[in-house]
């Protein structure tokens, strides 16, 4: 009896600290809807943990088919039975929750009523004719939804087990691109709080998800189309199975003699992805370049010598009519425009001239072919 009272008191305090919990009751059957990536997978498992013993049942369903090796490893490690939304009978559930996305992001979910939405993407257009969720927590300045859920767990005084901690940690790591993209102080704090709780061998297993043999074929086909221009190399993939193939291709191009800048691009998981690499010596800041060229279309940023842009296809091609070649044309055009803006200032030009001026007596170099 006292145990029940204690448990009840604890539950009561918990929902006072985590208001989201007030929107569920004991006979609820909850379906958490995600678009599978590490952040949404980790966030859904965190929500499942928060709802543990508070609702009758929780399932997780994904709008997309989960195929990326790291995602598959994460799902397997968490023992998550991830359903595929189109195959789910929604009448089995009394409440829908969405994490790391908003209902209008995918046509599949635009007409569904969600009780709870927790996300870190910019707040999208709200259709006031549709019933609004009873609870929304959208924090566009956060690097990951996993950060919000880490805060919820902390507030609820729940210490995540090693698996969940590792998943949340990995989610923050990947969604902030190791903190080069929009890393907030809150993300850092969550990261630090999780660090002593994670399972390191599992983390490296997830991070080093193998490149499948199928990817090798794509890699080979892409590298075959490599283009060189002075010290610049570009690889555009007609077909791509995994964004990591872009990273491998760009890193590989950097090993070719005379190449000091490389980029690779391709379309994967409904996104146009561009990966940049450079030696970082007199080649400008790639993070800034990526931001300038592609920031208006999606997330873009990075370091001086490593950067990345990820643009949802509808942002680049709202009508969905562009061919692969036209999409690559767009990438090149935007890059050229962004590079063009950085014409050297007079001082830099003078300095470059002085550097290039031949020493007295030395023959003048002829024009380059
Ligand atoms: Mn996310």
């Amino acid at each position: 009896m006292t145990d029940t009272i204690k448990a009840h008191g604890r539950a009561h305090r918990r929902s006072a600290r985590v208001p989201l919990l007030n929107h569920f009751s004991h006979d609820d059957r909850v379906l958490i809807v995600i678009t599978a990536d590490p952040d949404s997978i980790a966030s859904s498992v965190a929500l499942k943990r928060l709802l543990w013993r508070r609702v009758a049942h929780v399932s997780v369903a994904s709008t997309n088919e989960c195929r990326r090796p790291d995602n598959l490893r994460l799902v397997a490690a968490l023992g998550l039975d991830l359903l595929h939304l189109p195959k789910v009978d929604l009448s089995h559930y009394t409440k829908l929750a969405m994490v790391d996305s908003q209902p209008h992001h995918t046509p599949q979910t635009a007409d569904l009523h969600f009780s709870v939405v927790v996300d870190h993407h910019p707040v999208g257009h709200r259709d006031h004719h549709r019933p609004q969720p009873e609870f929304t927590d959208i924090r566009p300045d956060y690097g990951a939804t996993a950060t919000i859920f880490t805060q919820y767990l902390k507030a609820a005084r729940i210490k995540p087990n090693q698996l969940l901690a590792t998943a949340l940690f990995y989610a923050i790591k990947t969604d902030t691109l190791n903190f080069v993209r929009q890393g907030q102080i809150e993300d850092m704090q969550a990261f630090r709080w999780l660090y002593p709780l994670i399972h390191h061998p599992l983390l490296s297993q997830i991070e080093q998800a193998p490149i499948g043999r199928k990817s090798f074929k794509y890699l080979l086909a892409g590298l075959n189309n490599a283009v060189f221009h002075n010290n610049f190399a570009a690889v555009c993939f007609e077909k791509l199975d995994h964004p990591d193939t872009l990273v491998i291709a760009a890193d590989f191009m950097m090993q070719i003699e005379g190449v000091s800048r490389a980029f690779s691009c391709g379309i994967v998981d409904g996104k146009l992805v561009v990966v940049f690499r450079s030696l970082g010596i007199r080649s400008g800041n790639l993070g800034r370049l990526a931001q300038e060229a592609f920031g208006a279309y999606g997330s873009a940023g990075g370091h001086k010598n490593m950067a990345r842009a990820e643009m949802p296809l509808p942002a680049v091609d709202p009508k969905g009519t562009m061919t692969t070649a036209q999409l690559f044309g767009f990438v090149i055009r935007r890059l050229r425009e962004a590079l063009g803006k950085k014409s050297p200032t007079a001082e830099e030009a003078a300095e470059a001239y002085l550097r290039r001026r031949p020493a007295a007596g030395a023959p003048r170099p002829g024009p380059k072919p």
Side-chain angles (χ1 to χ4, degrees), residues 338-358:
L339 283 166
K341 267 190 220 154
K342 286 198 207 58
S343 55
T345 63
E347 279 149 289
E348 278 170 327
E351 207 184 299
Y353 172 75
L354 288 173
R355 260 202 312 272
R356 244 185 284 140
R357 201 171 56 167

Side-chain angles (χ1 to χ4, degrees), residues 158-206:
I158 296 173
K159 185 176 144 192
N161 67 19
Q162 278 193 319
L163 290 176
L164 177 55
T166 309
L168 290 165
F169 187 85
Y170 180 63
I172 299 170
K173 233 180 137 189
T174 55
D175 248 32
T176 60
L177 299 174
N178 288 312
F179 291 97
V180 294
R181 177 171 79 196
Q182 222 194 42
Q184 289 294 308
I185 186 77
E186 288 85 356
D187 298 309
M188 299 278 198
Q189 282 164 345
F191 201 69
R192 260 184 70 183
W193 188 72
L194 291 166
Y195 184 77
L197 307 175
I198 67 171
H199 188 264
H200 290 271
L202 173 64
L203 180 68
S204 51
Q205 253 184 51
I206 296 165

Side-chain angles (χ1 to χ4, degrees), residues 37 39 100 120-121 144-145 175:
D37 73 4
D39 192 23
D100 196 37
H120 72 126
H121 294 94
T145 304
D175 248 32

Side-chain angles (χ1 to χ4, degrees), residues 85-105:
L85 186 64
K87 293 182 201 140
V88 174
D89 181 357
L90 294 175
S91 67
H92 279 308
Y93 299 93
T94 55
K95 290 222 169 102
L96 299 184
M98 180 169 265
V99 297
D100 196 37
S101 185
Q102 289 161 44
H104 65 273
H105 286 174

Side-chain angles (χ1 to χ4, degrees), residues 30-354:
V30 183
L31 181 68
I32 305 172
V33 178
I34 62 171
T35 296
D37 73 4
D39 192 23
S40 64
I41 293 168
S43 299
S44 71
V45 176
L47 178 55
K48 221 177 149 182
R49 174 65 188 86
L50 284 159
L51 294 175
W52 186 50
R53 288 185 169 167
R54 304 181 68 103
V55 296
H57 177 83
V58 185
S59 296
V60 183
S62 173
T63 57
N64 59 334
E65 246 179 304
C66 180
R67 277 195 322 231
R68 286 180 49 169
D70 58 341
N71 291 348
L72 289 172
R73 281 218 172 158
L74 195 57
V75 169
L78 289 164
L80 179 65
D81 180 18
L82 186 60
L83 309 173
H84 191 200
L85 186 64
K87 293 182 201 140
V88 174
D89 181 357
L90 294 175
S91 67
H92 279 308
Y93 299 93
T94 55
K95 290 222 169 102
L96 299 184
M98 180 169 265
V99 297
D100 196 37
S101 185
Q102 289 161 44
H104 65 273
H105 286 174
T106 28
Q108 288 183 62
T109 53
D111 291 322
L112 299 176
H113 172 66
F114 286 87
S115 304
V116 162
V117 174
V118 180
D119 187 26
H120 72 126
H121 294 94
V123 183
H125 160 80
R126 278 194 192 160
D127 185 346
H128 291 286
H129 299 292
R130 290 199 174 118
Q132 298 300 309
E134 286 89 65
F135 177 89
T136 45
D137 187 356
I138 298 171
R139 308 187 200 179
D141 49 337
Y142 275 38
T145 304
T147 299
I148 305 176
F149 276 98
T150 304
Q151 290 181 348
Y152 286 172
L153 290 168
K154 236 170 126 178
R157 312 229 167 111
I158 296 173
K159 185 176 144 192
N161 67 19
Q162 278 193 319
L163 290 176
L164 177 55
T166 309
L168 290 165
F169 187 85
Y170 180 63
I172 299 170
K173 233 180 137 189
T174 55
D175 248 32
T176 60
L177 299 174
N178 288 312
F179 291 97
V180 294
R181 177 171 79 196
Q182 222 194 42
Q184 289 294 308
I185 186 77
E186 288 85 356
D187 298 309
M188 299 278 198
Q189 282 164 345
F191 201 69
R192 260 184 70 183
W193 188 72
L194 291 166
Y195 184 77
L197 307 175
I198 67 171
H199 188 264
H200 290 271
L202 173 64
L203 180 68
S204 51
Q205 253 184 51
I206 296 165
E207 286 190 321
Q208 290 156 24
I211 289 290
R213 291 193 186 188
K214 222 173 82 197
S215 306
F216 178 67
K217 277 195 243 164
Y218 290 105
L219 191 62
L220 215 59
L223 290 176
N224 236 336
N225 295 331
V227 184
F228 296 92
H229 182 74
N230 295 336
N231 60 0
F232 189 73
V235 186
C236 292
F237 284 82
E238 291 280 340
K239 279 183 186 165
L240 196 60
D241 62 325
H242 194 284
D244 283 356
T245 310
L246 292 174
V247 176
I248 297 170
D251 284 338
F252 180 79
M253 296 315 288
M254 289 301 292
Q255 296 180 48
I256 310 281
E257 189 187 18
V259 173
S260 60
R261 274 194 293 186
F263 86 89
S264 57
C265 68
I267 296 142
V268 65
D269 293 338
K271 283 183 213 155
L272 177 58
V273 183
V274 191
V275 170
F276 304 82
R277 291 290 183 272
S278 83
L279 291 178
I281 307 157
R282 265 194 270 149
S283 46
N285 184 317
L286 287 185
R288 224 173 295 146
L289 175 68
Q291 177 61 39
E292 237 164 77
F294 304 113
Y297 302 90
S299 60
H303 295 289
K304 194 165 185 276
N305 57 349
M306 274 171 123
R308 185 185 184 101
E310 286 188 12
M311 298 158 272
L313 277 179
V316 178
D317 177 19
K319 289 185 198 146
T321 52
M322 282 165 84
T323 61
T324 316
Q326 284 170 325
L327 287 166
F328 294 154
F330 160 84
V331 171
I332 311 269
R333 218 166 38 245
R334 292 294 311 148
L335 274 176
R336 209 178 271 161
E337 278 169 28
L339 283 166
K341 267 190 220 154
K342 286 198 207 58
S343 55
T345 63
E347 279 149 289
E348 278 170 327
E351 207 184 299
Y353 172 75
L354 288 173

